[in-house]
Amino acid sequence: MSTQVATAGTIQPRQYHGVLDWITTTDHKKIGIMYIVFALINAWFGGSLAGMIRLNLYNPDWHLFSPQLYNQLMTMHATIMIFLVLMAAFAGFGNYLVPLMIGARDMAFPKLNAFSFWLLMPAAMMLYGSFFVAGGAAADGWWSYPPLSTAQFSAGHGEDLWILAVLLLGISSIMGAINFLVTVIDMRAPGMTWMKLPLFVWSWVVTAWMLVLAVPVLSGALFMLLSDRWLNTGFYRPALGGDPLLYQHLFWFFGHPEVYIMILPGFGMISHIIPAMSRKKLFGYKGMVMAMWSIGIIGFTVWAHHMFTAGISSTARVYFSMASMLISVPTGVKIYSWLASVWGGVIRFTTAMKFALGFIFTFVLGGLSGLMLAVVPFDILVHNTYFVVAHFHYVLVGGSVMTLFAGTYYWFPKITGRMLSEKLGSWIFWLFFIGLNWVFMPMHLLGIEGMARRVANYRIEFRPLNQFISEGFIFMLAAGLLFTYSVIKALREPKSAGDDPWQTNEIETHFEWATSSPPPAYNFEEIPEIQ
């Protein structure tokens, strides 16, 4: 954003500096950086809540937090990590990289892009401020199932703030998704046909399409929930003719595509990092594009596998079980393509490559437990146990977070002009990799043995495993501290990264590496063209 001033017969933009420049900017690169910094700050808040949860579960006799406060910590941890960390971080990388990768000077709607980001601020203030209102923060889980969430006063005003915050976040996501789609459709460089798009751009096309279809359904469900709470309507109240299962169907119609919304941009990142670090072109480009679209489409057809114990019919159980297993096929295609890209390559074991390979290992483990949960009898056995907690943390932490680490180390030179320390990066990788497996692998056993999730206390025989899990959190905390220190240390050093420090353009033309590090405000002196 800038005002116009007349000088010497011409009209030139007035340049702001410092904080005011960042507050008023519509530059996609600065907005992308603000998204990433916002996500990192919230990762510390959300991770701190996770640490408090694990501290409370270290010993069943401690009772550090009341059951009500424990449920609030759990609900807010999930909400913050999903909406304010993972979605915000991927939006940041998307904002920064997509225009560069397609040879554009900015997003299609720069002001709308800035508005989408700044909507996150009131939403975050509502979520954090809800701890201090009457009744405390929302305590019904990040899904807020009725009837727990429909009682106007029993759920407290924190529930209302949670609903309003998620509605604002939904508006931000929809506007951002439309911006991504228009940018890619209308602003590609000359010669860049659809089948020449970089895979990170393809991942955002599919993600944006999913956001446009899924988020309005969540918004409608939340509007009806707010109406039941304050207008005494009966959408979800059985006494007034409503049905609580309606909310579950609407929520999970959004909730399951949301899982892929939080991982598909990571797939796109890995599809750039592995070929670059293997000194090979990506194996099976067209298959990867089709796999992304298959994941996006099938992801809308499996929502009720979250509801196998909710009383749905046997026919529905069979269908959703089969659909849940089917989605593993395009995911397997992607795993095969990444491994084939590594095979026979000249591998450089940089920190980005370590996180990329670590992601494949942990994500496959998360996918295997997901296949187990697609089997109806087994899902009924471990539903609402720590087996489910282990599964989705392997997918989101072992999947999404690992790709974000990989992407940060890979594109940090382009964004800042500086290199992150590879020596510190190796320590960060091994601390985080060991920590996440230490924490989440034993949860499978806890779940099979019958420990329920979302409960502040547990039977004494579960104490040894819970103490072991809580001790593993220290490794992840150390990795986070060391990573933050590494970023701050690198930013204080002089710019030393070249325009293409990974020599990617020796393998295949990538526009983002064809400009300076960091890129100028206008990205390219001339719009690049693919011959």
Side-chain angles (χ1 to χ4, degrees), residues 35 111-120 171-172 175-176 179:
Y35 266 112
K111 293 182 180 179
L112 185 67
N113 196 27
F115 184 56
S116 298
F117 169 74
W118 288 109
L119 272 183
L120 301 184
I171 294 171
S172 171
M175 292 191 300
N179 211 349

Side-chain angles (χ1 to χ4, degrees), residues 17 50 60 92 150 196 403 419:
H17 301 282
T150 50
K196 291 181 180 178
T403 63
M419 301 292 290

Side-chain angles (χ1 to χ4, degrees), residues 96-275:
Y96 198 101
L97 295 172
V98 166
L100 288 173
M101 287 183 171
I102 65 173
R105 297 201 186 277
D106 207 323
M107 296 288 281
F109 307 114
K111 293 182 180 179
L112 185 67
N113 196 27
F115 184 56
S116 298
F117 169 74
W118 288 109
L119 272 183
L120 301 184
M121 299 304 167
M125 288 189 288
M126 286 182 188
L127 290 175
Y128 290 119
S130 64
F131 279 105
F132 306 102
V133 301
D140 308 319
W142 81 282
W143 44 85
S144 285
Y145 279 175
L148 290 175
S149 58
T150 50
Q152 180 177 352
F153 297 108
S154 63
H157 297 299
E159 180 69 27
D160 302 310
L161 288 174
W162 182 90
I163 294 171
L164 294 172
V166 175
L167 285 171
L168 279 181
L169 293 167
I171 294 171
S172 171
S173 296
I174 293 170
M175 292 191 300
I178 293 172
N179 211 349
F180 275 112
L181 289 173
V182 176
T183 299
V184 177
I185 291 171
D186 283 349
M187 301 181 68
R188 301 192 306 279
M192 181 171 280
T193 61
W194 282 103
M195 294 313 292
K196 291 181 180 178
L197 281 182
L199 279 172
F200 181 71
V201 179
W202 265 121
S203 71
W204 256 108
V205 170
V206 179
T207 300
W209 171 78
M210 296 178 76
L211 283 166
V212 169
L213 292 181
V215 175
V217 176
L218 173 67
S219 299
L222 292 179
F223 271 118
M224 288 189 283
L225 181 61
L226 198 63
S227 178
D228 275 10
R229 286 174 57 81
W230 288 103
L231 301 180
N232 203 33
T233 54
F235 294 108
Y236 308 129
R237 292 181 175 182
L240 298 178
D243 186 356
L245 284 186
L246 171 62
Y247 179 86
Q248 292 192 33
H249 280 289
L250 294 174
F251 180 86
W252 288 117
F253 186 82
F254 154 82
H256 198 80
E258 171 70 2
V259 174
Y260 301 109
I261 288 167
M262 291 187 289
I263 194 67
L264 275 172
F267 289 170
M269 288 179 169
I270 299 301
S271 301
H272 286 256
I273 295 167
I274 284 181

